Amino acid sequence: INVGRSALYYEDYVLSMQYFNQAIAAKPYLYEPYFFRGLAKFYLEDYTGAEVDCSKSINLNPYYVNSYEVRGLSRINLQD
């Protein structure tokens, strides 16, 4: 997750998604990789994918406010 966050920081969104995919495959019960993958998708203007990932993050941890933010911004961009 930390390597993916580093790639996200350096705006390498595709690479960061690959790292988050690996984290999700290894530990699908964690909410953070879904959130960060959703954030990367948001920056790549894949608003539908970002909404789905953030919704999954919210299902796993409903107390993580950032997931709601990115999901809301995705819905605004989708005009939903």
Side-chain angles (χ1 to χ4, degrees), residues 27-77:
K27 297 182 179 182
Y29 51 86
L30 295 177
Y31 71 93
E32 283 184 313
Y34 288 102
F35 166 72
F36 288 119
R37 186 175 71 177
L39 186 61
K41 288 179 181 181
F42 179 81
Y43 287 135
L44 291 171
E45 298 180 1
D46 176 12
Y47 302 120
T48 303
E51 181 184 7
V52 169
D53 280 348
C54 287
S55 293
K56 181 65 176 173
S57 175
I58 290 167
N59 287 337
L60 293 171
N61 183 359
Y63 303 105
Y64 192 64
V65 177
N66 294 339
S67 297
Y68 290 99
E69 268 186 71
V70 175
R71 185 174 74 171
L73 290 171
S74 297
R75 288 181 176 175
I76 288 170
N77 283 301

